[in-house]
Amino acid sequence: MNVGNLDAETAGIELKGRIHFDFELKPAMGLLTINCVKFVSYYGTKELPPQNSISQGPRFRVRTFASRKSTNKSRREGRPSKSFSLQTKETLPEDNNVLAETNPSKDDINNGKSVDSAPQDSISFPSRSNVLQACTITSGLIAALGLIIRQVSHVGSMEGLPIHDCSMEVSFGFEMWHLELITGLVMVISSCRYILLKTWPNFSESSETANKQVLSSLQPYDYLVVAFLPGMSEEFLFRGALLPVFGFDWKSVLVVSTLFGVLHLGNGRKYSFAVWATFVGIVYGYATIVSSSLVVPMASHALNNLVGALLWRYTSKPLTEN
């Protein structure tokens, strides 16, 4: 074997070692292995014929070493190689899209926007049919409970038990002066509610929440249903049944009114609403004792509900502005 052949074979061995080294490196980078011809042409070194002179062999080795050195230097300095740059250019649009989707921009953050956030103010209210159905069923159950208590008290009193007969203490009688009492109650309670709405933020917030839940999906004529059915059924239970059972006096008024106020808590209605309901219960209890008639508290409660509903509808802001 002559020297030229020896140098060529030596160069071939070095080249194979370079290819073997690149074969071990590039799978770690996620790239395909290239053959000898593409590798040499890629790094700017021309492919040599199998037989070369002695002077060409070192030049080839120097070029190969320089290419390898520049590649290693680029990696040490943190610069991507050419093949890595090509891979980065191909995948960069997808990566940018992923980053844009997962990381909101500063403008979006400043404007209160978020990629995954749902639209604000997406508060759902029950439909009109659901509200009317719930109002009718609840009022029917309350009235049925009141009727049962009144009947039980009547039978117990007839049997000689120490219990007040509710039907004898509070009747459905009506006199003309009851109309004046009803009018006065509506004016007093409506005025007090209006003052509290303007001066007590907690009560205003509770009233707004309760009105939105019940009245938002209703038509104005539906207010007659949600005003009269609860007003009449609640008064039938609390002032027509419980009040006489507990003694039909001021102590009974306070106990029943407190129970009436506590039961008005929940569903966004805070303690202020319970205080208001307790006060209203005391007023209705007083009117019941004075008149001995269920018509007075029933009519007063229903009319106050209607006035409050109409006042909320025509004075509150539309839901789209809230």
Side-chain angles (χ1 to χ4, degrees):
M1 183 179 299
N2 56 22
V3 178
N5 291 335
L6 181 60
D7 292 338
E9 291 175 359
T10 304
I13 292 172
E14 292 181 1
L15 186 58
K16 289 180 180 179
R18 179 70 176 108
I19 294 172
H20 178 71
F21 173 77
D22 226 65
F23 178 80
E24 296 294 334
L25 177 63
K26 291 188 179 298
M29 298 171 60
L31 302 176
L32 297 175
T33 306
I34 58 178
N35 56 29
C36 177
V37 177
K38 292 183 179 180
F39 174 81
V40 177
S41 61
Y42 182 79
Y43 285 95
T45 305
K46 296 182 179 180
E47 183 183 4
L48 296 177
Q51 294 182 354
N52 295 304
S53 61
I54 299 176
S55 59
Q56 290 176 340
R59 184 184 304 172
F60 177 77
R61 288 196 296 270
V62 171
R63 284 190 175 182
T64 306
F65 178 77
S67 176
R68 181 171 57 193
K69 182 178 180 181
S70 61
T71 304
N72 295 335
K73 184 178 179 181
S74 299
R75 290 168 182 166
R76 286 196 305 268
E77 293 176 356
R79 297 197 303 268
S81 61
K82 294 182 180 180
S83 59
F84 184 75
S85 300
L86 293 175
Q87 182 71 11
T88 305
K89 290 180 181 179
E90 293 176 358
T91 58
L92 185 58
E94 297 179 358
D95 295 338
N96 287 337
N97 292 335
V98 173
L99 291 176
E101 292 176 359
T102 56
N103 298 324
S105 62
K106 293 182 178 180
D107 295 336
D108 293 339
I109 295 175
N110 293 333
N111 294 332
K113 298 179 181 179
S114 177
V115 176
D116 297 330
S117 60
Q120 297 180 355
D121 298 335
S122 58
I123 302 176
S124 59
F125 299 105
S127 63
R128 174 177 176 268
S129 59
N130 290 338
V131 172
L132 295 178
Q133 182 180 6
C135 179
T136 303
I137 295 175
T138 305
S139 300
L141 293 176
I142 292 175
L145 180 59
L147 180 62
I148 292 174
I149 294 175
R150 286 176 66 91
Q151 291 297 325
V152 170
S153 66
H154 176 71
V155 173
S157 178
M158 295 294 295
E159 295 294 333
L161 298 176
I163 187 173
H164 295 276
D165 188 354
C166 296
S167 60
M168 296 296 296
E169 298 287 348
V170 183
S171 65
F172 287 93
F174 179 78
E175 300 180 11
M176 289 301 300
W177 66 273
H178 292 169
L179 186 60
E180 299 177 359
L181 181 59
I182 294 171
T183 304
L185 291 175
V186 173
M187 294 179 62
V188 170
I189 293 177
S190 298
S191 301
C192 292
R193 180 197 294 115
Y194 182 80
I195 294 173
L196 291 177
L197 289 174
K198 298 299 182 180
T199 58
W200 196 357
N202 191 279
F203 175 72
S204 178
E205 181 181 352
S206 298
S207 299
E208 183 71 13
T209 301
N211 290 331
K212 281 183 178 181
Q213 291 176 351
V214 177
L215 305 176
S216 297
S217 59
L218 300 182
Q219 298 297 327
Y221 53 83
D222 294 329
Y223 292 175
L224 294 174
V225 178
V226 298
F228 278 82
L229 286 184
M232 296 174 66
S233 61
E234 289 175 5
E235 293 305 316
F236 184 72
L237 172 61
F238 288 95
R239 255 63 66 177
L242 295 179
L243 181 63
V245 167
F246 284 110
F248 205 65
D249 53 14
W250 279 106
K251 293 180 180 180
S252 177
V253 170
L254 293 176
V255 172
V256 174
S257 300
T258 303
L259 179 62
F260 181 74
V262 170
L263 293 178
H264 278 77
L265 285 172
N267 294 328
R269 294 175 293 191
K270 303 178 181 179
Y271 74 94
S272 57
F273 201 87
V275 172
W276 164 253
T278 302
F279 166 75
V280 172
I282 293 174
V283 175
Y284 292 151
Y286 170 76
T288 304
I289 293 178
V290 171
S291 62
S292 298
S293 173
L294 266 177
V295 176
V296 174
M298 281 184 173
S300 301
H301 194 161
L303 291 175
N304 276 312
N305 287 346
L306 182 60
V307 171
L310 294 176
L311 188 66
W312 175 83
R313 180 178 181 86
Y314 294 107
T315 58
S316 63
K317 296 180 180 180
L319 293 179
T320 55
E321 297 181 5
N322 293 336

